[in-house]
Amino acid sequence: MSHTMHFHVLTLFPEMVSQGLSESILGRAARKGCIELETVNIRDYTINKHKKVDDYPYGGGAGMLMQAQPVFDACMDVEKKIEMRRNAERTAGNAETAAGIAETSAAGEASGNDKDAACREKSPLRVIYVTPQGKVFTQQMAQEFAREEDLIFLCGHYEGVDERVLEEIVTDYVSIGDYVLTGGELPAMVMIDAISRMVPGVLKNEESAETESFCDGLLEYPQYTRPEVWKDRRVPSVLLSGDHVRIEKWRLEQSLERTRQRRPGLYEAYTRRDRAVSYLSKDRLSHMDMLEVIKRGQADVVRAEETGVLLYDRPSGAWMLSASDEDMGERLLSEIPRGKDELFAVHQSFLKESIARRFHRDRVSECMQAVYARKLPPACRARFGIRPLEAQDVDAVYENYHAVHSRDYLLERIEAGEMFGIDADGRLAAFAGMHDEGSMGMLEVLPEYRRMGMAEALEAYLITQQLEKGYVPFCQIFDGNEPSLCLQKKLGLKIASGRLYWIS
Ligand code: ADE
């Protein structure tokens, strides 16, 4: 089940934004309820009796600056309204649960209520200030923002905005490119358009969001429509052949060639990714962690050779490595800049030793990787009510989870809507969740509730969620954790032959 994506735009020119986004696909999406646009006139919030919102910069200089007070008050009002709406939705959701709808089958029908509630835990709200001084907006950022339920855009005008209010409210500074426009409205509209396309239900054919330019890192191939001949130019004959295998091959070649010529940087990144995938696919099960972070678009392929791959996973900050010989291992390690607290996931024990030498790291957890290679979720008979965890559950999780993660990390996972639990006798009896790099884990059942099927139900629930997102579910079993190994086998996960070492 999909939820509505709510855009809130703080601007001095609300009509420019609402009119610009009311036509065509986004207009239709708004009427269908896939997206909702709220424009907020910052001027309505000024306490100045002449409705003034700007003033001269201290220290002199050209132009005027937007003042802090109206911007801040407008933003607070929007945040308050979002909070109220979310509470109302939560209450409505709980009422449904009470009516007996959300008794969740772990094996499959994760109810829409549960999933939506999980999304709602994703505060804090993101406030995007559109500015040429921001990080340049990309398709990847559009995908990331599309996972939020609410986005607040602040559009600047004149020469800018008082820095103090930016420090107070802004979470993301984003630019749409290296040029300067007269205001933030057009950039906000550009971003809203790109983000909306990624929201389920906005595009008619959901596939089109997947296959067009950029999703796989290549530019789109050339397209043709009738007539077959125009100004003596013929449509390429392969497209008239009806041979779909040849057509697909031709299109890929065209995409590659176009990207190579027009966007050499993108082409280089694509070929690196391609080389990485072909090395890692030689042992898919052992490398599923690395293959998945590439596929999910969350990793940078820093280096990819025939005999080794180095990735940087952005969400976890982990360096992921695999090399078929020690020489390549050393070459990959030499690419890693020295930081304060590097985290590594490596696939060979010689890499573990080199890292200890180079980075003075010796906290090593040895794991086996388990992969759910099927397309359908596991059959799981036990039925429990599974709910997303909330911030107040963190202590129960921290006290009962027998592994290395900090309380802060567990809280972050809960707040990201990535941890789930089962209650019994009025308390949290079992929990599990998704790690930031994308593996399933943090599974624990309190001793008195073991052997009832709670672990199986929770993992089956996570597997189902992962499959729905088009991911291959995987997890890592610490050396010696026999109960976990048994559970993985029971649920149908395959155990990889290679080892994996987490080093921190
Ligand atoms: N405001 C003015 N120019 C801009 C740009 N290039 N990107 C985002 N916001 C802007």
Side-chain angles (χ1 to χ4, degrees), residues 233-385:
R233 292 161 183 268
R234 295 199 142 271
V235 170
S237 58
V238 59
L239 298 177
L240 310 173
S241 69
D243 181 341
H244 289 286
V245 176
R246 264 183 68 213
I247 293 174
E248 283 309 304
K249 186 166 165 279
W250 181 86
R251 285 181 166 167
L252 178 62
E253 285 162 5
Q254 293 289 316
S255 281
L256 283 165
E257 188 49 26
R258 217 167 232 211
T259 313
R260 194 180 66 77
Q261 282 182 7
R262 298 184 187 175
R263 300 290 301 275
L266 276 186
Y267 182 75
E268 179 49 36
Y270 177 85
T271 54
R272 260 202 316 273
R273 203 181 74 165
D274 215 35
R275 281 198 304 278
V277 170
S278 54
Y279 166 84
L280 297 169
S281 299
K282 289 182 201 151
D283 181 354
R284 276 175 54 77
L285 290 186
S286 300
H287 290 136
M288 194 50 79
D289 55 334
M290 294 176 78
L291 284 164
E292 279 296 297
V293 296
I294 294 177
K295 190 174 92 188
R296 298 178 196 183
Q298 63 187 55
D300 300 324
V301 181
V302 179
R303 184 133 181 203
E305 302 292 336
E306 247 174 67
T307 54
V309 171
L310 168 65
L311 307 180
Y312 179 72
D313 176 56
R314 290 184 301 273
S316 62
W319 295 93
M320 298 179 154
L321 289 93
S322 176
S324 55
D325 59 73
E326 294 188 30
D327 269 359
M328 179 49 70
E330 291 302 319
R331 281 182 26 212
L332 296 180
L333 286 173
S334 70
E335 304 257 334
I336 301 177
R338 256 152 224 277
K340 270 203 305 335
D341 27 50
E342 299 96 342
L343 176 66
F344 302 90
V346 305
H347 285 266
Q348 288 80 22
S349 64
F350 58 77
L351 287 172
K352 177 183 75 176
E353 280 134 34
S354 299
I355 287 171
R357 254 198 333 276
R358 276 174 184 264
F359 297 89
H360 310 292
R361 292 282 182 282
D362 52 7
R363 237 178 64 190
V364 180
S365 309
E366 188 167 342
C367 309
M368 276 179 285
Q369 189 137 269
V371 177
Y372 190 81
R374 300 178 186 157
K375 294 265 179 291
L376 294 175
C380 171
R381 260 167 281 123
R383 279 173 179 264
F384 296 98

Side-chain angles (χ1 to χ4, degrees), residues 102-321:
E103 175 68 6
T104 309
S105 154
E109 322 88 60
S111 82
N113 298 322
D114 274 13
K115 276 193 292 174
D116 283 358
C119 289
R120 261 176 236 122
E121 295 306 319
K122 279 189 187 167
S123 0
L125 288 166
R126 290 181 87 161
V127 179
I128 302 166
Y129 177 45
V130 290
T131 165
Q133 297 172 39
K135 198 168 146 188
V136 177
F137 189 62
T138 60
Q139 187 65 30
Q140 210 170 349
M141 285 158 80
Q143 264 159 4
E144 186 198 318
F145 285 135
R147 288 189 213 115
E148 301 289 330
E149 197 186 351
D150 289 89
L151 286 173
I152 304 172
F153 288 88
L154 169 60
C155 304
H157 248 273
Y158 314 118
E159 288 307 305
V161 181
D162 188 308
E163 190 68 20
R164 293 165 297 183
V165 68
L166 300 178
E167 285 169 4
E168 195 70 34
I169 63 173
V170 173
T171 59
D172 300 82
Y173 293 79
V174 189
S175 163
I176 61 162
D178 290 337
Y179 39 82
V180 182
L181 303 168
T182 53
E185 284 72 18
L186 284 171
M189 287 157 73
V190 166
M191 288 185 227
I192 290 170
D193 189 296
I195 296 164
S196 297
R197 290 180 75 256
M198 312 308 298
V199 172
V202 169
L203 296 184
K204 270 208 180 123
N205 175 4
E206 296 251 334
E207 287 232 296
S208 48
E210 290 294 321
T211 53
E212 282 168 25
S213 292
F214 285 111
C215 247
D216 56 4
L218 289 178
L219 301 184
E220 208 181 357
Y221 44 79
Q223 302 252 51
Y224 305 85
T225 184
R226 272 192 273 215
E228 221 177 284
V229 185
W230 180 77
K231 288 191 188 283
D232 287 341
R233 292 161 183 268
R234 295 199 142 271
V235 170
S237 58
V238 59
L239 298 177
L240 310 173
S241 69
D243 181 341
H244 289 286
V245 176
R246 264 183 68 213
I247 293 174
E248 283 309 304
K249 186 166 165 279
W250 181 86
R251 285 181 166 167
L252 178 62
E253 285 162 5
Q254 293 289 316
S255 281
L256 283 165
E257 188 49 26
R258 217 167 232 211
T259 313
R260 194 180 66 77
Q261 282 182 7
R262 298 184 187 175
R263 300 290 301 275
L266 276 186
Y267 182 75
E268 179 49 36
Y270 177 85
T271 54
R272 260 202 316 273
R273 203 181 74 165
D274 215 35
R275 281 198 304 278
V277 170
S278 54
Y279 166 84
L280 297 169
S281 299
K282 289 182 201 151
D283 181 354
R284 276 175 54 77
L285 290 186
S286 300
H287 290 136
M288 194 50 79
D289 55 334
M290 294 176 78
L291 284 164
E292 279 296 297
V293 296
I294 294 177
K295 190 174 92 188
R296 298 178 196 183
Q298 63 187 55
D300 300 324
V301 181
V302 179
R303 184 133 181 203
E305 302 292 336
E306 247 174 67
T307 54
V309 171
L310 168 65
L311 307 180
Y312 179 72
D313 176 56
R314 290 184 301 273
S316 62
W319 295 93
M320 298 179 154
L321 289 93

